[in-house]
Amino acid sequence: MELPIVLLVLAVLLVVISLAQPIAGIVRLPFSVLLAVIGIVIGAAASFLWYTEFTDAFNDVARAVLDFPVGSTVFLYVFLPTLLFQTALTLDARRMAPDWVPILVLAVLAVLIATVIIGYALVPFAGQPLIVCLLLGAIVATTDPIAVVGIFRDIGAPARLGRLVEGESLLNDAAAITLFSVFLAVLVAGQPLSLMDASLGFARTLVIGALVGYVGARMAAWLIGSIPDHRAAKVSISFALPYLVYIVAEQGLGVSGVIGVVVAGMTLNLLGPARASPDGWSYLTGIWEQVAFWASSLVFVLAAILVPRLLADLTWLDLALILVVVAAALLARIVVLFGVLPLLTTMRLSPPVSRSYRLVILWGGLRGAVTLALALSVTENPAVSAEVHRIVAILATGFVLFTLLIQGTTMGWLIRGLGLNRLSARDLALRGQVLAVALENVREAVERVAELYKVGSATALAEARRYAERIDATAARTEQGQGLSDLERLSLGLVTLAGRERNVVLEHYRARIVSAALVQPLLAQAELLIDKARAGGRAEFQRAVRQTLAFDWRFGVVQFLHRRLGIGGPLEHLLARRFEMLFATRIIVEELAPFIDRKIVPILGARVGEVLGEILERRREAIDGALEALRLQYPSYAEALEHRLLRKTALRQEELEYDVLLVDGLIGPELHANLRRSIEEERRKAEIEPRLDLALHAPELLAQLPLFSEFTQEQLDTLAKRLRPIFAVPGERLIRRGGPGDAVYFIASGAVEVSIPGQKIRLGRGDFVGEIALLTGRPRQSDVHAIGYCFLLRLDVRDFKAFLSQHPATRQHIEEVAARRVADNENAVHSPATSQPRAGT
């Protein structure tokens, strides 16, 4: 077919698709179902016009439709990567995290179970070998993300239900297509099926495919981040990514390109916002949404056009076999949804999935273009017999039609019948309060506008009275209904506050105040707070706050490298990033307090606002404590960060001033562009991160300790060479009871707690600990923990003994302190109620 004809058909189909979208709303049909109906009608009409003897006037048009160059390769290599990637790119992966177990079960285990049940159900009736029946089971086992996601969004399914089904439909394509490839290869080769080989091949293609997608997305994210302010280039990279991943995986490595594309989309979804500017990311995702609309609509219409051809020689026996496939597919989903998922919940591997959700998921397993594309690839394979061509084409197509025309059209009724389209009791109570506040604000605005524009008093009063009546009616309905409990209000307030924190992060990033490197961890921190507040209210929210301030496993690794191997670079990087995170979080938290008074209190009440304010104040104090501990040790670095923040803020304000001058016409585009370039140059300088130096300048710290106040500078320098700086976090154990006496610690800043039987003693800046075991040669007699962020100077046993021999006066002082501590400790053991030991170990 000539290229102009192909383009003409595509253009006509795009016009039809554009008109179909508003029609779908009028006739109350899901858009995907309406597109399928339109495609079937077009295909049937073209076939009729081509074969009818009434007229030949439309033969050219009919032939253009029937011979349109679209086959399985076009569906699988042109449309599928685009559609899967766009869905994964816009999916809220963090919200899906709590449900990853049921999603994986639905995506992988459900496909395996469906393939086996459908395959064995067909064997007694289809008159085909088991391998053909299993091949057909794999073809129809995959739920189509285009159909499922589109319909669930059209009918407004609940958020969690939508995430479950979207996650399943995205990931099970990989499992189904992988099984399909294995069975087709066995069928073509004519060899018996090896369960072990099939299982290993299945696992290999999924794992390596996912790895290809992850690596590709990481490289794309790096490229996007390396070309700032070039939106078209960023979009181009994102468009190349799914096709590169799909083709490299499928053709180069022989693994699942589908799972590669899905993983690539989800990875770029997580990394992209931090690599591209907020405006650039919105621009990128907006273009992807438009392209995905064209692709998803075209793929439905083009696939549906093939339906009359695939069902050309349908018989009554074929209809019976289609019903067998329908029954077996529903049975397979029942086994998974009502057998496996409750078992996972009992084993605490998955959050509960309600019975109503499971019923909707059961009926929502729609098939579409992916199933038709796989069936079409079988019919196009010359190594497969004509009878297999026929049965695969008819059964797969008939099953797709059943899911779209029967299940798809009744999905809305099922959701409404189960009450899933109704607001929860909490949302209903909240709706009343939100309406009351909003309507009151609108009423006041109407009065101000009426006064400003000199509207007649009677008209203004009538309009204001209308809103007053709505406010009274809303208040009455709220009083009659069930209100929110105090715990629900507080939980909702915490979720709202954490959501506002996420928005503030993006606002600061858009203003270039928060660096790109911090955006992702700050957003992840806000998402953690949202999830914990939603799941467990105040207790979980506060636990999450403590988690954001705690050091994770990486700190233990870099601390080991620094203490044991003398490698300080990783620790410097980690502490610098922590310093910046605390600094940025402190700024963001400061902006949340006005939000509580302005937005939360009017809706949730003053009491909730007070509690939220207390929680926020404690969080601010915790951040200040962690920040101050670092600031005391690295004042110059803290000053550099503060200077950098102010510089970024000033540049943003300068940029806004130039934009206002341009809009007001006081400067022209050329001057505006010149001024913006100068700002960008200064901004690049401000983005350079200051370096945190772990060197503690030990001689200066030693000079500040009373024990060494009489030392000369030369003596301080000599001693400093023997000391090793130790950074300790709250709760870290520095000395273990029963351990060998291997070092003494001088406390440069912070405080430690010495735990002896029956007593806990605190030592602070200027004290030392650990000397008794070194002087007596006995094991440690107590545990010592850091009770705050602190820095200590460690002197190993050999250097300690050499130091004492060189400084008799200091030796005498340390021995006197140690003797008093030993005596106090012994007294504490005999009479703990009256003794006040000094501590030692």
Side-chain angles (χ1 to χ4, degrees):
M1 184 180 293
E2 295 181 358
L3 181 60
I5 301 298
V6 174
L7 295 177
L8 178 61
V9 173
L10 287 175
V12 172
L13 289 179
L14 285 176
V15 173
V16 171
I17 288 164
S18 302
L19 296 176
Q21 192 172 31
I23 293 174
I26 296 173
V27 300
R28 297 184 179 277
L29 273 179
F31 182 50
S32 301
V33 173
L34 182 60
L35 288 178
V37 172
I38 290 173
I40 293 171
V41 170
I42 292 174
S47 297
F48 173 78
L49 292 174
W50 175 253
Y51 291 108
T52 185
E53 297 180 357
F54 292 110
T55 179
D56 294 333
F58 300 100
N59 281 2
D60 292 340
V61 177
R63 198 65 195 170
V65 173
L66 294 175
D67 291 344
F68 194 76
V70 58
S72 61
T73 303
V74 174
F75 285 121
L76 295 177
Y77 280 87
V78 177
F79 291 114
L80 190 59
T82 298
L83 296 168
L84 293 177
F85 185 80
Q86 190 274 335
T87 305
L89 191 67
T90 56
L91 199 65
D92 195 339
R94 293 188 183 89
R95 294 287 180 87
M96 286 175 56
D99 288 311
W100 70 270
V101 172
I103 287 173
L104 283 183
V105 168
L106 290 170
V108 179
L109 182 60
V111 167
L112 295 172
I113 292 175
T115 299
V116 172
I117 290 180
I118 294 171
Y120 278 93
L122 281 173
V123 168
F125 308 104
Q128 294 291 330
L130 176 61
I131 187 65
V132 174
C133 296
L134 290 175
L135 175 68
L136 186 58
I139 289 173
V140 302
T142 172
T143 56
D144 194 332
I146 309 162
V148 175
V149 173
I151 288 180
F152 269 68
R153 288 177 179 173
D154 288 343
I155 62 180
R160 188 188 179 210
L161 179 58
R163 288 194 297 270
L164 286 170
V165 177
E166 286 185 33
E168 175 205 3
S169 62
L170 266 178
L171 298 177
N172 71 3
D173 278 341
I177 293 175
T178 302
L179 283 177
F180 166 81
S181 302
V182 171
F183 293 144
L184 184 61
V186 172
L187 178 63
V188 171
Q191 298 176 353
L193 176 63
S194 170
L195 184 60
M196 179 61 69
D197 291 343
S199 300
L200 291 176
F202 181 77
R204 170 184 170 275
T205 189
L206 290 182
V207 172
I208 299 180
L211 183 62
V212 171
Y214 177 75
V215 172
R218 294 285 302 191
M219 294 175 63
W222 177 80
L223 285 173
I224 288 173
S226 65
I227 47 174
D229 302 324
H230 294 282
R231 298 193 301 181
K234 297 176 191 292
V235 172
S236 301
I237 292 171
S238 72
F239 267 88
L241 175 60
Y243 292 103
L244 288 172
V245 168
Y246 191 83
I247 293 172
V248 168
E250 290 283 340
Q251 301 296 322
L253 301 176
V255 297
S256 175
V258 172
I259 194 65
V261 169
V262 171
V263 171
M266 296 178 71
T267 303
L268 193 62
N269 184 357
L270 295 174
L271 300 178
R275 302 289 181 176
S277 66
D279 293 337
W281 185 251
S282 299
Y283 176 78
L284 184 149
T285 54
I287 289 182
W288 265 105
E289 287 178 6
Q290 180 61 59
V291 171
F293 170 74
W294 289 335
S296 62
S297 304
L298 283 173
V299 78
F300 252 99
V301 174
L302 293 173
I305 287 174
L306 301 174
V307 168
R309 185 196 314 174
L310 295 174
L311 295 178
D313 54 349
L314 181 69
T315 67
W316 288 106
L317 177 60
D318 296 329
L319 284 175
L321 291 177
I322 291 172
L323 293 178
V324 171
V325 173
V326 170
L330 290 175
L331 175 62
R333 290 183 77 79
I334 288 172
V335 169
V336 173
L337 292 168
F338 294 90
V340 177
L341 283 189
L343 181 61
L344 293 175
T345 302
T346 302
M347 298 169 62
R348 297 185 178 181
L349 295 176
S350 166
V353 180
S354 69
R355 184 181 182 85
S356 58
Y357 277 24
R358 283 179 280 158
L359 285 172
V360 173
I361 295 173
L362 168 66
W363 198 242
L366 308 182
R367 275 66 168 179
V370 176
T371 300
L372 290 178
L374 295 179
L376 197 61
S377 69
V378 174
T379 66
E380 294 172 354
N381 193 323
V384 179
S385 67
E387 181 59 27
V388 174
H389 286 179
R390 178 185 174 281
I391 193 169
V392 168
I394 289 177
L395 296 189
T397 306
F399 185 60
V400 167
L401 289 179
F402 176 86
T403 61
L404 286 176
L405 301 182
I406 304 300
Q407 294 177 218
T409 55
T410 57
M411 183 65 59
W413 296 344
L414 178 62
I415 288 179
R416 287 189 290 273
L418 294 172
L420 296 178
N421 62 323
R422 294 194 294 266
L423 292 175
S424 65
R426 189 185 76 167
D427 287 339
L428 282 173
L430 181 64
R431 180 181 184 274
Q433 291 174 290
V434 170
L435 272 176
V437 173
L439 291 175
E440 177 63 28
N441 292 337
V442 171
R443 186 185 64 79
E444 293 175 358
V446 168
E447 292 178 350
R448 289 195 300 270
V449 170
E451 182 179 355
L452 177 65
Y453 293 110
K454 310 301 181 184
V455 176
S457 58
T459 304
L461 285 173
E463 189 65 20
R465 188 180 301 112
R466 190 168 72 88
Y467 275 97
E469 291 172 355
R470 289 184 63 188
I471 293 170
D472 293 339
T474 300
R477 286 194 299 269
T478 302
E479 290 176 2
Q480 293 172 2
Q482 183 179 4
L484 293 171
S485 68
D486 291 341
L487 288 178
E488 287 176 324
R489 290 173 183 272
L490 181 58
S491 177
L492 185 59
L494 289 170
V495 172
T496 306
L497 194 64
R500 175 57 186 165
E501 180 172 335
R502 179 179 55 191
N503 294 336
V504 172
V505 171
L506 293 174
E507 290 171 5
H508 280 291
Y509 177 49
R510 189 175 291 110
R512 308 287 185 90
I513 295 173
V514 170
S515 65
L518 289 183
V519 172
Q520 199 57 45
L522 286 171
L523 289 176
Q525 180 174 282
E527 292 289 349
L528 174 66
L529 295 175
I530 292 173
D531 292 338
K532 295 299 183 181
R534 184 180 288 114
R538 178 177 185 173
E540 287 296 321
F541 181 89
Q542 291 177 317
R543 186 176 292 112
V545 168
R546 291 192 294 271
Q547 183 179 335
T548 62
L549 295 176
F551 285 90
D552 59 16
W553 60 270
R554 290 174 298 178
F555 179 75
V557 174
V558 299
Q559 194 177 46
F560 172 83
L561 293 175
H562 179 244
R563 291 185 182 179
R564 303 299 181 187
L565 304 179
I567 302 174
L571 182 59
E572 287 181 1
H573 175 76
L574 189 66
L575 289 178
R577 181 54 50 85
R578 176 177 175 79
F579 216 139
E580 283 195 275
M581 278 288 294
L582 291 171
F583 207 78
T585 305
R586 183 66 172 81
I587 296 169
I588 292 166
V589 167
E590 281 295 330
E591 297 192 22
L592 297 180
F595 178 79
I596 294 174
D597 296 331
R598 190 174 66 254
K599 294 293 185 180
I600 295 181
V601 169
I603 295 176
L604 297 179
R607 177 55 187 158
V608 171
E610 291 176 6
V611 176
L612 291 178
E614 293 172 3
I615 293 173
L616 197 63
E617 181 60 29
R618 281 197 290 271
R619 185 182 179 195
R620 185 189 293 114
E621 291 172 357
I623 295 172
D624 285 343
L627 194 58
E628 189 62 24
L630 291 173
R631 191 192 302 271
L632 288 173
Q633 305 308 319
Y634 305 110
S636 58
Y637 185 78
E639 184 179 347
L641 284 182
E642 290 170 346
H643 175 76
R644 187 178 179 218
L645 169 68
L646 292 176
R647 184 60 180 152
K648 286 183 175 183
T649 304
L651 289 172
R652 175 59 176 169
Q653 292 301 318
E654 186 177 349
E655 182 180 43
L656 293 175
E657 287 294 327
Y658 296 150
D659 291 344
V660 171
L661 291 174
L662 175 66
V663 172
D664 292 341
L666 295 176
I667 62 175
E670 296 81 5
L671 177 55
H672 179 263
N674 178 269
L675 293 171
R676 287 289 298 267
R677 283 194 296 270
S678 65
I679 289 177
E680 290 300 326
E681 181 63 29
E682 292 297 321
R683 188 169 275 151
R684 277 191 288 271
K685 295 178 183 178
E687 286 293 337
I688 299 174
E689 296 183 4
R691 183 178 181 275
L692 185 146
D693 188 1
L694 272 184
L696 296 180
H697 306 290
E700 297 178 13
L701 290 175
L702 288 172
Q704 298 173 15
L705 301 182
L707 184 64
F708 308 112
S709 58
E710 302 298 328
F711 276 40
T712 65
Q713 187 61 46
E714 183 179 356
Q715 290 174 322
L716 291 174
D717 292 339
T718 302
L719 177 58
K721 294 177 182 178
R722 297 176 176 178
L723 294 169
R724 185 165 45 173
I726 299 293
F727 176 73
V729 299
E732 182 179 351
R733 179 155 50 188
L734 301 167
I735 294 176
R736 182 188 298 271
R737 186 181 182 190
D742 55 354
V744 65
Y745 297 87
F746 300 97
I747 304 172
S749 68
V752 301
E753 186 174 71
V754 182
S755 301
I756 60 176
Q759 295 288 339
K760 292 183 182 297
I761 301 97
R762 292 188 175 185
L763 300 176
R765 183 175 180 275
D767 284 322
F768 54 87
V769 67
E771 80 289 351
I772 295 176
L774 274 67
L775 293 173
T776 63
R778 294 185 298 176
R780 301 288 194 185
Q781 300 300 304
S782 59
D783 291 317
V784 178
H785 293 83
I787 57 176
Y789 298 100
C790 53
F791 273 91
L792 306 100
L793 300 173
R794 173 188 167 112
L795 188 61
D796 291 333
V797 58
R798 181 179 302 177
D799 292 327
F800 178 69
K801 292 180 178 179
F803 167 73
L804 294 183
S805 64
Q806 295 170 3
H807 302 281
T810 305
R811 176 190 182 97
Q812 181 179 355
H813 174 72
I814 291 177
E815 288 177 343
E816 289 175 356
V817 172
R820 285 199 303 271
R821 287 178 173 177
V822 169
D824 290 341
N825 291 346
E826 290 176 352
N827 292 334
V829 172
H830 296 299
S831 55
T834 58
S835 300
Q836 297 293 327
R838 291 287 305 279
T841 188

